[in-house]
Structure formats: structure tokens, C-alpha cells
Amino acid sequence: MDIRQATNANLLNLPENYTFKYYLYHALTWPELSYVAVDPRGRIVGYILAKIGHVTSISVLRPYRRLGLANKLMKQSQEAMVAHYNASHITLHVRKSNRAAISLYRDTLGFEVHAMEKGYYADGEDAYGMRYLFNKPE
Ligand code: ACO
């Protein structure tokens, strides 16, 4: 992962920005779990930053949205969590107002809301804590 390019996509897309060191920490500790999507010239147009059982951040540049990239990035990371770490579940936080991301997680990928965290974000917005169980109880 070219961390500087991924950082750029993060800055353009989300108010939650992470330091270079934080990306490096993910890439060095869980190298199998973070992925990028690139255009034909190799420029990063989307990324997923993840650790065991948790998606820290995902975003796709605006002109490349609704092409299935985020869905693919999530699935690659989910598969790697099971293959490399035998993860039982994945969690993430999402802003209550983020309809696109909530629809991706809930409708496309089958995540469920398991908690509501009041004032989770720096600007006071609430978060949904969402969770995906790999082995759902029958
Ligand atoms: N409105 C409604 N549903 C949507 C939207 C939207 N704007 N975008 C995606 N979806 C849902 C749809 O169900 C879609 O399936 P469909 O196109 O067949 O209808 C499904 O998600 C899959 O869409 P993708 O094409 O894979 O998603 P995309 O590549 O466009 O990326 C993302 C979605 C990451 C949410 C993008 O809009 C984005 O970068 N937003 C800004 C950053 C952001 O909000 N990131 C998530 C923050 S939470 C976190 O990082 C843990």
C-alpha cells in the first residue's frame, strides 16, 4: 500500500483522518487485511484499512463510486480475516447520517447494528456500532 496516496484519498473523503504512523501501524501489524483499488495508471482510488476483526476506515474517490469497489475491498479484507486470523466477527463504526456506507454494510454485506454510541465523533455525531458474524447462529 502506498500510504501517502491512501492518506490523500482519506483526506478527500472523510473527516476522520489518520496519521501516516497509524496507516503504517496497520500495514506492518496486519499486512494481509488492508487493500487498495487502483486506476489503470496505478493511482489509488479506494482503500480499506483494517485490523483483526475491525474495519478502521474505507473510502472510494467520488468518480469511482457505485462500481462495486468498496464491496470488493470489504470482501477481500473479510476473507483475509478468516483465512489468516480465524476471526469470528468484524466490527466497525459509521456515522448515523452516512446512508451510503450503512447501505453498503447492512444491505450488501449483511452487517447488523449492535450498538449506538452517542457523540462518538469529534463533532458530536452519534455512531452506529455495526457487526458481522462469520458463523451466524442457526
Ligand atoms: N446510496 C445508497 N446506497 C449506496 C450508496 C449510496 N450513495 N453507495 C453505495 N451504496 C450501497 C448500495 O447497496 C451498493 O450496491 P448497488 O450499487 O448494487 O446498489 C453497495 O453499497 C455497494 O456499493 P459500492 O459500489 O461497492 O460502494 P462504493 O465503491 O461506491 O463505496 C463508500 C461506498 C465507501 C461508502 C463511498 O461512498 C465513500 O467512499 N464514501 C465516503 C467515505 C465513507 O463514508 N466511508 C465509510 C466511513 S465508515 C468506515 O470507514 C468504517
Side-chain angles (χ1 to χ4, degrees), residues 13-14 55-60 64-71 92-94 98-101 103-105 108:
N13 278 334
L14 282 168
V55 175
T56 302
S57 181
I58 180 169
S59 76
V60 171
Y64 295 88
R65 290 186 189 164
R66 290 315 274 269
L67 299 173
L69 289 180
N71 185 17
L92 55 81
H93 289 102
V94 61
N98 193 343
R99 287 197 323 168
S103 167
L104 165 71
Y105 304 139
T108 305

PDB file of all heavy atoms in Angstrom, residues 13-14 55-60 64-71 92-94 98-101 103-105 108, ligand 1:
ATOM      1  N   ASN A  13     -12.089  12.280   1.377  1.00  0.00           N
ATOM      2  CA  ASN A  13     -13.389  11.627   1.542  1.00  0.00           C
ATOM      3  C   ASN A  13     -14.000  11.698   2.923  1.00  0.00           C
ATOM      4  O   ASN A  13     -15.197  11.558   3.064  1.00  0.00           O
ATOM      5  CB  ASN A  13     -13.252  10.142   1.201  1.00  0.00           C
ATOM      6  CG  ASN A  13     -13.316   9.888  -0.283  1.00  0.00           C
ATOM      7  OD1 ASN A  13     -13.909  10.662  -1.011  1.00  0.00           O
ATOM      8  ND2 ASN A  13     -12.702   8.831  -0.719  1.00  0.00           N
ATOM      9  N   LEU A  14     -13.182  11.817   3.956  1.00  0.00           N
ATOM     10  CA  LEU A  14     -13.706  11.632   5.309  1.00  0.00           C
ATOM     11  C   LEU A  14     -13.169  12.662   6.288  1.00  0.00           C
ATOM     12  O   LEU A  14     -11.996  13.053   6.194  1.00  0.00           O
ATOM     13  CB  LEU A  14     -13.294  10.242   5.834  1.00  0.00           C
ATOM     14  CG  LEU A  14     -14.075   9.034   5.328  1.00  0.00           C
ATOM     15  CD1 LEU A  14     -13.340   7.759   5.706  1.00  0.00           C
ATOM     16  CD2 LEU A  14     -15.477   9.012   5.904  1.00  0.00           C
ATOM     17  N   VAL A  55     -12.839  -2.919  10.944  1.00  0.00           N
ATOM     18  CA  VAL A  55     -12.528  -2.045   9.813  1.00  0.00           C
ATOM     19  C   VAL A  55     -12.332  -0.632  10.356  1.00  0.00           C
ATOM     20  O   VAL A  55     -13.256  -0.032  10.902  1.00  0.00           O
ATOM     21  CB  VAL A  55     -13.668  -2.065   8.766  1.00  0.00           C
ATOM     22  CG1 VAL A  55     -13.388  -1.064   7.654  1.00  0.00           C
ATOM     23  CG2 VAL A  55     -13.828  -3.464   8.191  1.00  0.00           C
ATOM     24  N   THR A  56     -11.124  -0.127  10.216  1.00  0.00           N
ATOM     25  CA  THR A  56     -10.820   1.218  10.713  1.00  0.00           C
ATOM     26  C   THR A  56     -11.364   2.268   9.760  1.00  0.00           C
ATOM     27  O   THR A  56     -11.983   3.246  10.199  1.00  0.00           O
ATOM     28  CB  THR A  56      -9.294   1.387  10.868  1.00  0.00           C
ATOM     29  OG1 THR A  56      -8.818   0.381  11.757  1.00  0.00           O
ATOM     30  CG2 THR A  56      -8.941   2.759  11.403  1.00  0.00           C
ATOM     31  N   SER A  57     -11.144   2.083   8.465  1.00  0.00           N
ATOM     32  CA  SER A  57     -11.585   3.099   7.502  1.00  0.00           C
ATOM     33  C   SER A  57     -11.648   2.512   6.102  1.00  0.00           C
ATOM     34  O   SER A  57     -10.830   1.681   5.723  1.00  0.00           O
ATOM     35  CB  SER A  57     -10.582   4.268   7.520  1.00  0.00           C
ATOM     36  OG  SER A  57     -10.972   5.288   6.627  1.00  0.00           O
ATOM     37  N   ILE A  58     -12.651   2.976   5.354  1.00  0.00           N
ATOM     38  CA  ILE A  58     -12.750   2.593   3.938  1.00  0.00           C
ATOM     39  C   ILE A  58     -13.260   3.800   3.180  1.00  0.00           C
ATOM     40  O   ILE A  58     -14.117   4.534   3.676  1.00  0.00           O
ATOM     41  CB  ILE A  58     -13.685   1.371   3.731  1.00  0.00           C
ATOM     42  CG1 ILE A  58     -13.776   1.005   2.248  1.00  0.00           C
ATOM     43  CG2 ILE A  58     -15.051   1.590   4.324  1.00  0.00           C
ATOM     44  CD1 ILE A  58     -14.462  -0.330   1.976  1.00  0.00           C
ATOM     45  N   SER A  59     -12.699   4.046   2.004  1.00  0.00           N
ATOM     46  CA  SER A  59     -13.299   5.075   1.156  1.00  0.00           C
ATOM     47  C   SER A  59     -12.891   4.877  -0.294  1.00  0.00           C
ATOM     48  O   SER A  59     -11.888   4.237  -0.591  1.00  0.00           O
ATOM     49  CB  SER A  59     -12.974   6.488   1.646  1.00  0.00           C
ATOM     50  OG  SER A  59     -11.667   6.852   1.325  1.00  0.00           O
ATOM     51  N   VAL A  60     -13.724   5.443  -1.170  1.00  0.00           N
ATOM     52  CA  VAL A  60     -13.521   5.355  -2.614  1.00  0.00           C
ATOM     53  C   VAL A  60     -13.687   6.776  -3.165  1.00  0.00           C
ATOM     54  O   VAL A  60     -14.627   7.484  -2.774  1.00  0.00           O
ATOM     55  CB  VAL A  60     -14.580   4.390  -3.237  1.00  0.00           C
ATOM     56  CG1 VAL A  60     -14.535   4.440  -4.750  1.00  0.00           C
ATOM     57  CG2 VAL A  60     -14.354   2.962  -2.739  1.00  0.00           C
ATOM     58  N   TYR A  64     -15.271   7.185  -8.779  1.00  0.00           N
ATOM     59  CA  TYR A  64     -15.173   5.724  -8.866  1.00  0.00           C
ATOM     60  C   TYR A  64     -16.215   5.024  -7.998  1.00  0.00           C
ATOM     61  O   TYR A  64     -16.135   3.818  -7.788  1.00  0.00           O
ATOM     62  CB  TYR A  64     -13.761   5.272  -8.475  1.00  0.00           C
ATOM     63  CG  TYR A  64     -12.731   5.763  -9.459  1.00  0.00           C
ATOM     64  CD1 TYR A  64     -12.149   7.018  -9.285  1.00  0.00           C
ATOM     65  CD2 TYR A  64     -12.370   5.008 -10.574  1.00  0.00           C
ATOM     66  CE1 TYR A  64     -11.228   7.500 -10.200  1.00  0.00           C
ATOM     67  CE2 TYR A  64     -11.450   5.472 -11.488  1.00  0.00           C
ATOM     68  CZ  TYR A  64     -10.883   6.724 -11.308  1.00  0.00           C
ATOM     69  OH  TYR A  64      -9.983   7.194 -12.210  1.00  0.00           O
ATOM     70  N   ARG A  65     -17.183   5.783  -7.489  1.00  0.00           N
ATOM     71  CA  ARG A  65     -18.190   5.170  -6.615  1.00  0.00           C
ATOM     72  C   ARG A  65     -19.269   4.437  -7.411  1.00  0.00           C
ATOM     73  O   ARG A  65     -19.453   4.678  -8.580  1.00  0.00           O
ATOM     74  CB  ARG A  65     -18.829   6.247  -5.720  1.00  0.00           C
ATOM     75  CG  ARG A  65     -17.813   6.725  -4.687  1.00  0.00           C
ATOM     76  CD  ARG A  65     -18.420   7.670  -3.684  1.00  0.00           C
ATOM     77  NE  ARG A  65     -17.347   8.247  -2.872  1.00  0.00           N
ATOM     78  CZ  ARG A  65     -17.475   9.316  -2.111  1.00  0.00           C
ATOM     79  NH1 ARG A  65     -18.645   9.927  -2.034  1.00  0.00           N
ATOM     80  NH2 ARG A  65     -16.460   9.764  -1.424  1.00  0.00           N
ATOM     81  N   ARG A  66     -20.001   3.591  -6.751  1.00  0.00           N
ATOM     82  CA  ARG A  66     -21.092   2.777  -7.301  1.00  0.00           C
ATOM     83  C   ARG A  66     -20.614   1.854  -8.415  1.00  0.00           C
ATOM     84  O   ARG A  66     -21.348   1.533  -9.347  1.00  0.00           O
ATOM     85  CB  ARG A  66     -22.251   3.643  -7.827  1.00  0.00           C
ATOM     86  CG  ARG A  66     -23.062   4.354  -6.761  1.00  0.00           C
ATOM     87  CD  ARG A  66     -23.450   3.524  -5.572  1.00  0.00           C
ATOM     88  NE  ARG A  66     -24.650   2.721  -5.644  1.00  0.00           N
ATOM     89  CZ  ARG A  66     -25.853   3.125  -5.281  1.00  0.00           C
ATOM     90  NH1 ARG A  66     -26.030   4.339  -4.837  1.00  0.00           N
ATOM     91  NH2 ARG A  66     -26.881   2.312  -5.343  1.00  0.00           N
ATOM     92  N   LEU A  67     -19.365   1.446  -8.334  1.00  0.00           N
ATOM     93  CA  LEU A  67     -18.829   0.476  -9.289  1.00  0.00           C
ATOM     94  C   LEU A  67     -18.545  -0.857  -8.599  1.00  0.00           C
ATOM     95  O   LEU A  67     -17.980  -1.764  -9.192  1.00  0.00           O
ATOM     96  CB  LEU A  67     -17.504   1.000  -9.905  1.00  0.00           C
ATOM     97  CG  LEU A  67     -17.585   2.299 -10.699  1.00  0.00           C
ATOM     98  CD1 LEU A  67     -16.192   2.780 -11.081  1.00  0.00           C
ATOM     99  CD2 LEU A  67     -18.435   2.086 -11.955  1.00  0.00           C
ATOM    100  N   GLY A  68     -18.869  -0.918  -7.320  1.00  0.00           N
ATOM    101  CA  GLY A  68     -18.644  -2.161  -6.588  1.00  0.00           C
ATOM    102  C   GLY A  68     -17.272  -2.251  -5.929  1.00  0.00           C
ATOM    103  O   GLY A  68     -16.902  -3.300  -5.406  1.00  0.00           O
ATOM    104  N   LEU A  69     -16.508  -1.150  -5.943  1.00  0.00           N
ATOM    105  CA  LEU A  69     -15.148  -1.221  -5.386  1.00  0.00           C
ATOM    106  C   LEU A  69     -15.152  -1.435  -3.876  1.00  0.00           C
ATOM    107  O   LEU A  69     -14.402  -2.270  -3.360  1.00  0.00           O
ATOM    108  CB  LEU A  69     -14.353   0.045  -5.734  1.00  0.00           C
ATOM    109  CG  LEU A  69     -13.945   0.195  -7.196  1.00  0.00           C
ATOM    110  CD1 LEU A  69     -13.164   1.498  -7.415  1.00  0.00           C
ATOM    111  CD2 LEU A  69     -13.099  -0.995  -7.630  1.00  0.00           C
ATOM    112  N   ALA A  70     -15.977  -0.687  -3.153  1.00  0.00           N
ATOM    113  CA  ALA A  70     -15.989  -0.822  -1.689  1.00  0.00           C
ATOM    114  C   ALA A  70     -16.444  -2.227  -1.290  1.00  0.00           C
ATOM    115  O   ALA A  70     -15.879  -2.846  -0.387  1.00  0.00           O
ATOM    116  CB  ALA A  70     -16.896   0.228  -1.060  1.00  0.00           C
ATOM    117  N   ASN A  71     -17.439  -2.720  -1.993  1.00  0.00           N
ATOM    118  CA  ASN A  71     -17.928  -4.081  -1.738  1.00  0.00           C
ATOM    119  C   ASN A  71     -16.780  -5.080  -1.888  1.00  0.00           C
ATOM    120  O   ASN A  71     -16.554  -5.936  -1.037  1.00  0.00           O
ATOM    121  CB  ASN A  71     -19.049  -4.368  -2.749  1.00  0.00           C
ATOM    122  CG  ASN A  71     -19.730  -5.698  -2.517  1.00  0.00           C
ATOM    123  OD1 ASN A  71     -19.605  -6.288  -1.450  1.00  0.00           O
ATOM    124  ND2 ASN A  71     -20.429  -6.186  -3.521  1.00  0.00           N
ATOM    125  N   LEU A  92     -17.303  -2.319  13.100  1.00  0.00           N
ATOM    126  CA  LEU A  92     -16.906  -1.010  12.568  1.00  0.00           C
ATOM    127  C   LEU A  92     -17.842   0.046  13.136  1.00  0.00           C
ATOM    128  O   LEU A  92     -18.900  -0.270  13.693  1.00  0.00           O
ATOM    129  CB  LEU A  92     -16.937  -1.002  11.026  1.00  0.00           C
ATOM    130  CG  LEU A  92     -18.219  -1.409  10.300  1.00  0.00           C
ATOM    131  CD1 LEU A  92     -19.225  -0.265  10.246  1.00  0.00           C
ATOM    132  CD2 LEU A  92     -17.896  -1.843   8.892  1.00  0.00           C
ATOM    133  N   HIS A  93     -17.418   1.286  13.004  1.00  0.00           N
ATOM    134  CA  HIS A  93     -18.268   2.420  13.385  1.00  0.00           C
ATOM    135  C   HIS A  93     -18.619   3.210  12.143  1.00  0.00           C
ATOM    136  O   HIS A  93     -17.783   3.362  11.250  1.00  0.00           O
ATOM    137  CB  HIS A  93     -17.532   3.353  14.361  1.00  0.00           C
ATOM    138  CG  HIS A  93     -17.356   2.759  15.714  1.00  0.00           C
ATOM    139  ND1 HIS A  93     -16.165   2.224  16.148  1.00  0.00           N
ATOM    140  CD2 HIS A  93     -18.236   2.603  16.739  1.00  0.00           C
ATOM    141  CE1 HIS A  93     -16.312   1.764  17.376  1.00  0.00           C
ATOM    142  NE2 HIS A  93     -17.556   1.973  17.760  1.00  0.00           N
ATOM    143  N   VAL A  94     -19.833   3.712  12.127  1.00  0.00           N
ATOM    144  CA  VAL A  94     -20.244   4.538  10.988  1.00  0.00           C
ATOM    145  C   VAL A  94     -21.159   5.652  11.499  1.00  0.00           C
ATOM    146  O   VAL A  94     -21.933   5.444  12.442  1.00  0.00           O
ATOM    147  CB  VAL A  94     -20.940   3.660   9.901  1.00  0.00           C
ATOM    148  CG1 VAL A  94     -22.191   2.975  10.437  1.00  0.00           C
ATOM    149  CG2 VAL A  94     -21.261   4.464   8.659  1.00  0.00           C
ATOM    150  N   ASN A  98     -24.585   8.542   7.562  1.00  0.00           N
ATOM    151  CA  ASN A  98     -23.875   8.062   6.369  1.00  0.00           C
ATOM    152  C   ASN A  98     -24.670   6.956   5.674  1.00  0.00           C
ATOM    153  O   ASN A  98     -24.399   5.768   5.805  1.00  0.00           O
ATOM    154  CB  ASN A  98     -22.478   7.566   6.763  1.00  0.00           C
ATOM    155  CG  ASN A  98     -21.569   7.358   5.563  1.00  0.00           C
ATOM    156  OD1 ASN A  98     -22.049   7.281   4.436  1.00  0.00           O
ATOM    157  ND2 ASN A  98     -20.279   7.278   5.809  1.00  0.00           N
ATOM    158  N   ARG A  99     -25.660   7.401   4.881  1.00  0.00           N
ATOM    159  CA  ARG A  99     -26.590   6.435   4.295  1.00  0.00           C
ATOM    160  C   ARG A  99     -25.914   5.478   3.324  1.00  0.00           C
ATOM    161  O   ARG A  99     -26.250   4.305   3.255  1.00  0.00           O
ATOM    162  CB  ARG A  99     -27.731   7.174   3.597  1.00  0.00           C
ATOM    163  CG  ARG A  99     -28.700   7.810   4.599  1.00  0.00           C
ATOM    164  CD  ARG A  99     -29.985   8.170   3.943  1.00  0.00           C
ATOM    165  NE  ARG A  99     -29.699   8.656   2.580  1.00  0.00           N
ATOM    166  CZ  ARG A  99     -30.605   8.840   1.645  1.00  0.00           C
ATOM    167  NH1 ARG A  99     -31.848   8.575   1.896  1.00  0.00           N
ATOM    168  NH2 ARG A  99     -30.280   9.284   0.448  1.00  0.00           N
ATOM    169  N   ALA A 100     -24.960   6.015   2.541  1.00  0.00           N
ATOM    170  CA  ALA A 100     -24.298   5.168   1.545  1.00  0.00           C
ATOM    171  C   ALA A 100     -23.548   4.030   2.240  1.00  0.00           C
ATOM    172  O   ALA A 100     -23.688   2.854   1.876  1.00  0.00           O
ATOM    173  CB  ALA A 100     -23.330   6.001   0.701  1.00  0.00           C
ATOM    174  N   ALA A 101     -22.763   4.387   3.266  1.00  0.00           N
ATOM    175  CA  ALA A 101     -21.957   3.368   3.940  1.00  0.00           C
ATOM    176  C   ALA A 101     -22.851   2.384   4.700  1.00  0.00           C
ATOM    177  O   ALA A 101     -22.617   1.170   4.675  1.00  0.00           O
ATOM    178  CB  ALA A 101     -20.953   4.032   4.873  1.00  0.00           C
ATOM    179  N   SER A 103     -25.846   1.506   3.961  1.00  0.00           N
ATOM    180  CA  SER A 103     -26.470   0.609   2.989  1.00  0.00           C
ATOM    181  C   SER A 103     -25.471  -0.452   2.515  1.00  0.00           C
ATOM    182  O   SER A 103     -25.819  -1.629   2.388  1.00  0.00           O
ATOM    183  CB  SER A 103     -26.990   1.451   1.817  1.00  0.00           C
ATOM    184  OG  SER A 103     -27.329   0.631   0.759  1.00  0.00           O
ATOM    185  N   LEU A 104     -24.225  -0.019   2.289  1.00  0.00           N
ATOM    186  CA  LEU A 104     -23.186  -0.995   1.902  1.00  0.00           C
ATOM    187  C   LEU A 104     -23.042  -2.076   2.967  1.00  0.00           C
ATOM    188  O   LEU A 104     -23.079  -3.280   2.663  1.00  0.00           O
ATOM    189  CB  LEU A 104     -21.849  -0.256   1.708  1.00  0.00           C
ATOM    190  CG  LEU A 104     -20.593  -1.124   1.655  1.00  0.00           C
ATOM    191  CD1 LEU A 104     -20.535  -1.928   0.348  1.00  0.00           C
ATOM    192  CD2 LEU A 104     -19.330  -0.265   1.789  1.00  0.00           C
ATOM    193  N   TYR A 105     -22.901  -1.667   4.221  1.00  0.00           N
ATOM    194  CA  TYR A 105     -22.649  -2.643   5.291  1.00  0.00           C
ATOM    195  C   TYR A 105     -23.873  -3.528   5.540  1.00  0.00           C
ATOM    196  O   TYR A 105     -23.767  -4.747   5.622  1.00  0.00           O
ATOM    197  CB  TYR A 105     -22.272  -1.934   6.596  1.00  0.00           C
ATOM    198  CG  TYR A 105     -21.078  -1.006   6.469  1.00  0.00           C
ATOM    199  CD1 TYR A 105     -21.069   0.235   7.095  1.00  0.00           C
ATOM    200  CD2 TYR A 105     -19.959  -1.375   5.729  1.00  0.00           C
ATOM    201  CE1 TYR A 105     -19.984   1.089   6.983  1.00  0.00           C
ATOM    202  CE2 TYR A 105     -18.873  -0.533   5.609  1.00  0.00           C
ATOM    203  CZ  TYR A 105     -18.892   0.709   6.237  1.00  0.00           C
ATOM    204  OH  TYR A 105     -17.825   1.548   6.111  1.00  0.00           O
ATOM    205  N   THR A 108     -25.832  -4.762   1.551  1.00  0.00           N
ATOM    206  CA  THR A 108     -24.996  -5.539   0.631  1.00  0.00           C
ATOM    207  C   THR A 108     -24.207  -6.619   1.356  1.00  0.00           C
ATOM    208  O   THR A 108     -24.069  -7.736   0.867  1.00  0.00           O
ATOM    209  CB  THR A 108     -24.020  -4.612  -0.127  1.00  0.00           C
ATOM    210  OG1 THR A 108     -24.781  -3.597  -0.773  1.00  0.00           O
ATOM    211  CG2 THR A 108     -23.204  -5.355  -1.166  1.00  0.00           C
TER     212      THR A 108
HETATM  213  N1  ACO B   1     -26.556   5.405  -1.638  1.00  0.00           N
HETATM  214  C1  ACO B   1     -27.167   4.249  -1.274  1.00  0.00           C
HETATM  215  N2  ACO B   1     -26.538   3.045  -1.257  1.00  0.00           N
HETATM  216  C2  ACO B   1     -25.236   3.017  -1.586  1.00  0.00           C
HETATM  217  C3  ACO B   1     -24.534   4.193  -1.979  1.00  0.00           C
HETATM  218  C4  ACO B   1     -25.251   5.416  -1.998  1.00  0.00           C
HETATM  219  N3  ACO B   1     -24.656   6.583  -2.365  1.00  0.00           N
HETATM  220  N4  ACO B   1     -23.241   3.863  -2.250  1.00  0.00           N
HETATM  221  C5  ACO B   1     -23.140   2.517  -2.049  1.00  0.00           C
HETATM  222  N5  ACO B   1     -24.336   2.014  -1.655  1.00  0.00           N
HETATM  223  C6  ACO B   1     -24.650   0.611  -1.329  1.00  0.00           C
HETATM  224  C7  ACO B   1     -25.505   0.014  -2.423  1.00  0.00           C
HETATM  225  O1  ACO B   1     -26.283  -1.012  -1.827  1.00  0.00           O
HETATM  226  C8  ACO B   1     -24.445  -0.562  -3.353  1.00  0.00           C
HETATM  227  O2  ACO B   1     -24.915  -1.581  -4.172  1.00  0.00           O
HETATM  228  P1  ACO B   1     -25.539  -1.192  -5.622  1.00  0.00           P
HETATM  229  O3  ACO B   1     -24.616  -0.205  -6.278  1.00  0.00           O
HETATM  230  O4  ACO B   1     -25.615  -2.513  -6.314  1.00  0.00           O
HETATM  231  O5  ACO B   1     -26.868  -0.573  -5.325  1.00  0.00           O
HETATM  232  C9  ACO B   1     -23.474  -1.127  -2.355  1.00  0.00           C
HETATM  233  O6  ACO B   1     -23.452  -0.189  -1.287  1.00  0.00           O
HETATM  234  C10 ACO B   1     -22.065  -1.369  -2.896  1.00  0.00           C
HETATM  235  O7  ACO B   1     -21.579  -0.147  -3.396  1.00  0.00           O
HETATM  236  P2  ACO B   1     -20.076   0.044  -3.879  1.00  0.00           P
HETATM  237  O8  ACO B   1     -20.114   0.480  -5.312  1.00  0.00           O
HETATM  238  O9  ACO B   1     -19.266  -1.158  -3.562  1.00  0.00           O
HETATM  239  O10 ACO B   1     -19.640   1.260  -2.935  1.00  0.00           O
HETATM  240  P3  ACO B   1     -18.612   2.412  -3.338  1.00  0.00           P
HETATM  241  O11 ACO B   1     -17.407   1.824  -4.010  1.00  0.00           O
HETATM  242  O12 ACO B   1     -19.337   3.465  -4.067  1.00  0.00           O
HETATM  243  O13 ACO B   1     -18.150   2.940  -1.910  1.00  0.00           O
HETATM  244  C11 ACO B   1     -18.429   4.169   0.147  1.00  0.00           C
HETATM  245  C12 ACO B   1     -19.085   3.166  -0.847  1.00  0.00           C
HETATM  246  C13 ACO B   1     -17.082   3.614   0.622  1.00  0.00           C
HETATM  247  C14 ACO B   1     -19.353   4.330   1.352  1.00  0.00           C
HETATM  248  C15 ACO B   1     -18.235   5.516  -0.611  1.00  0.00           C
HETATM  249  O14 ACO B   1     -19.482   6.118  -0.830  1.00  0.00           O
HETATM  250  C16 ACO B   1     -17.322   6.509   0.100  1.00  0.00           C
HETATM  251  O15 ACO B   1     -16.095   6.493  -0.067  1.00  0.00           O
HETATM  252  N6  ACO B   1     -17.933   7.410   0.923  1.00  0.00           N
HETATM  253  C17 ACO B   1     -17.157   8.422   1.650  1.00  0.00           C
HETATM  254  C18 ACO B   1     -16.285   7.784   2.710  1.00  0.00           C
HETATM  255  C19 ACO B   1     -17.117   6.984   3.709  1.00  0.00           C
HETATM  256  O16 ACO B   1     -18.210   7.375   4.093  1.00  0.00           O
HETATM  257  N7  ACO B   1     -16.547   5.842   4.160  1.00  0.00           N
HETATM  258  C20 ACO B   1     -17.173   4.975   5.178  1.00  0.00           C
HETATM  259  C21 ACO B   1     -16.993   5.558   6.544  1.00  0.00           C
HETATM  260  S1  ACO B   1     -17.270   4.347   7.861  1.00  0.00           S
HETATM  261  C22 ACO B   1     -15.780   3.488   7.973  1.00  0.00           C
HETATM  262  O17 ACO B   1     -14.810   3.866   7.327  1.00  0.00           O
HETATM  263  C23 ACO B   1     -15.693   2.218   8.844  1.00  0.00           C
END
